[in-house]
Amino acid sequence: MSLDTVDKLVVFLAKRDGIDKLVKTFQYVAKLACWHVESTRPEAAERFKKWEVASGLSRKAFRTGRSLTGFNALRRNPGATPVIRFLAVLANSGEMVYFFFDHFLWLSRIGTLDPKIAKKMSFISAFGESFGYVFFIIIDCIFIRQRLRSLKRLRTNDEPKEEISGKISEIQGDIVMRMMGISANVADLIIALAEIQPNPFCNHTVTLGISGLVSAWAGWYRNWPS
């Protein structure tokens, strides 16, 4: 029996990544709403700000143990070629630093650890995050280039269209997924840069809000059950 929309939503929300993308949507919708009403409705802006902060802290709690994901990826599937393996080590190492120090940032923000260390933990976490995203983007670009070459070869092949249509659809699907991955990683990289090197563009509320929603919705697409 095929899954309908409600079935797929239940499956999606049963995943940790699914819940994370939903709460991330809440977080950045609240950020944009707070910015929109802060000058005209301060009371509503304060409520939206509390929603944003609560969502951000909740996401950090959900990510407990995520630093093991990168380690396991390297242990189980480091890559098919030396170049991809090297890039995967760099990418996953950055992500492991991000998630590991994010635990301490969360604990300092909720008051379990000294709140004074929050800024330092935030910087280290964001630096690891941005470092990892750069290499994840490079990996996806390499794979997209390979898939496009494969697609070109299949389309110039003399085999019957019926025989290659399935392969073409599979390759096109992989390209779309990797494009979504690049979109999410670029958006998250902008958010991380706002923490590492504050500047008027990256730190603008609209830039952060849109980047957060792009990342969240790209994640929705990638994790939505087929």
Side-chain angles (χ1 to χ4, degrees):
M1 184 177 69
S2 61
L3 300 178
D4 61 19
T5 302
V6 175
D7 291 326
K8 291 180 179 180
L9 182 61
V10 169
V11 172
F12 177 78
L13 294 178
K15 302 176 183 177
R16 175 158 61 174
D17 281 344
I19 287 288
D20 180 68
K21 302 315 172 191
L22 176 63
V23 179
K24 190 171 189 176
T25 300
F26 293 159
Q27 180 182 356
Y28 287 97
V29 165
K31 176 180 278 293
L32 290 172
C34 176
W35 171 79
H36 182 67
V37 302
E38 63 182 349
S39 60
T40 56
R41 299 176 61 192
E43 185 179 335
E46 185 179 354
R47 292 177 181 175
F48 283 126
K49 185 64 179 178
K50 289 178 179 178
W51 188 19
E52 177 198 346
V53 171
S55 297
L57 290 174
S58 297
R59 290 183 60 228
K60 291 184 186 303
F62 296 150
R63 293 198 292 260
T64 302
R66 276 292 297 273
S67 54
L68 293 174
T69 303
F71 172 73
N72 202 46
L74 292 175
R75 192 169 67 97
R76 292 295 184 185
N77 186 23
T81 66
V83 172
I84 295 298
R85 284 195 289 271
F86 176 69
L87 293 173
V89 168
L90 295 176
N92 284 284
S93 296
E95 188 180 64
M96 283 189 281
V97 169
Y98 161 45
F99 285 127
F100 181 76
F101 284 94
D102 198 50
H103 300 337
F104 297 104
L105 174 58
W106 169 54
L107 292 172
S108 63
R109 288 267 172 86
I110 64 175
T112 303
L113 296 179
D114 187 351
K116 292 180 181 178
I117 70 169
K119 188 171 182 62
K120 183 181 288 187
M121 294 300 102
S122 180
F123 180 87
I124 297 172
S125 178
F127 184 84
E129 179 183 17
S130 59
F131 181 87
Y133 286 147
V134 168
F135 293 103
F136 278 125
I137 291 167
I138 292 172
I139 290 170
D140 278 331
C141 288
I142 290 172
F143 277 112
I144 287 173
R145 186 181 180 187
Q146 292 175 351
R147 298 296 185 269
L148 289 173
R149 286 177 175 174
S150 298
L151 205 58
K152 185 177 180 180
R153 284 197 298 269
L154 282 172
R155 284 174 172 165
T156 57
N157 201 314
D158 293 332
E159 294 181 33
K161 289 185 178 180
E162 295 77 12
E163 294 182 13
I164 63 172
S165 59
K167 295 179 182 178
I168 290 176
S169 297
E170 183 180 344
I171 292 172
Q172 288 175 333
D174 186 62
I175 290 173
V176 170
M177 285 297 186
R178 293 191 180 277
M179 288 297 294
M180 290 294 105
I182 291 173
S183 300
N185 288 333
V186 169
D188 285 328
L189 180 59
I190 291 172
I191 296 171
L193 289 175
E195 179 63 34
I196 299 169
Q197 188 65 47
N199 62 83
F201 174 74
C202 290
N203 288 79
H204 196 284
T205 304
V206 174
T207 303
L208 291 172
I210 292 175
S211 297
L213 291 177
V214 167
S215 173
W217 293 341
W220 273 77
Y221 186 90
R222 296 175 75 195
N223 287 283
W224 190 256
S226 57

